[in-house]
Amino acid sequence: MHEWTLAEAVISTVSQIAEKEGLKEVAEVEIKVGELQQIELDILEFALSQLKTLKLKNAKINIQTVKAELKCRVCGHKWLFEKEKMTEEIAEAIHFVPEIAHTYIKCPKCGSPDFEILQGRGIWLESMKGVK
C-alpha cells in the first residue's frame, strides 16, 4: 500500500537523522502530509507504529494534514482543494498520482486547468526531538 511505503520512508529518514545526530532515542516526530496526497491517516499511523525501530519504540508520532491551496495561472484566483466535490474514481486517481490533478481540477473562477499548487502536496518530516 501507498501508506506503508511512505511509513517506511519516514522511519528510515528519522532513523538516519537520529544516527547522524547521535540520539539514543527519538521522543517525538512531527510529520506533515499534504491533502493532495489523500493519505489514509489511520493506515499511515498503523504502519508507522508497526515499523518503528528500537530508537523510535517510545516516540510519539504526530501527523498533521496541510490543506491544499491552488492558484490559477490565468486569472490569479486562489482556492482550496475540495475532495468532496469529486467522484470516488477521480479522488483515487489523484491519491495514487497527485500530478494528474490538473486533468480533473479546474479554476472555479475561469475554468482553466492551468494552476499551481501553493501548498498541500507531499509528505515531509517537519521536526523531531530526541535524547542524546
Side-chain angles (χ1 to χ4, degrees):
M1 287 195 147
H2 188 62
E3 287 80 359
W4 281 84
T5 303
L6 292 171
E8 287 176 338
V10 168
I11 296 296
S12 175
T13 300
V14 169
S15 297
Q16 288 174 19
I17 293 170
E19 189 69 31
K20 183 178 175 183
E21 298 293 322
L23 300 178
K24 292 180 187 173
E25 185 176 5
V26 176
E28 189 173 347
V29 177
E30 180 83 24
I31 301 166
K32 292 203 175 180
V33 177
E35 181 183 30
L36 279 179
Q37 295 303 122
Q38 298 186 46
I39 299 297
E40 295 290 337
L41 294 179
D42 55 336
I43 296 173
L44 179 61
E45 288 171 355
F46 179 74
L48 288 166
S49 73
Q50 297 301 302
L51 296 171
K52 284 183 178 179
T53 61
L54 189 58
K55 284 189 180 189
L56 282 99
K57 70 178 182 174
N58 297 317
K60 180 178 181 193
I61 299 178
N62 302 307
I63 302 172
Q64 184 178 39
T65 301
V66 176
K67 291 289 288 177
E69 184 179 7
L70 314 171
K71 181 180 178 184
C72 181
R73 289 188 176 116
V74 175
C75 71
H77 179 68
K78 291 182 183 178
W79 74 98
L80 296 177
F81 171 73
E82 295 180 87
K83 178 183 174 183
E84 303 77 33
K85 293 185 177 181
M86 298 182 166
T87 67
E88 190 175 322
E89 293 80 20
I90 292 172
E92 187 171 334
I94 293 172
H95 168 77
F96 286 108
V97 187
E99 292 77 16
I100 67 166
H102 294 275
T103 304
Y104 300 106
I105 301 172
K106 310 287 185 243
C107 173
K109 188 172 180 183
C110 74
S112 173
D114 188 12
F115 62 86
E116 62 182 302
I117 300 168
L118 299 177
Q119 67 176 21
R121 184 171 172 235
I123 179 169
W124 62 96
L125 176 62
E126 182 70 13
S127 65
M128 62 182 271
K129 296 176 186 171
V131 179
K132 287 195 175 193

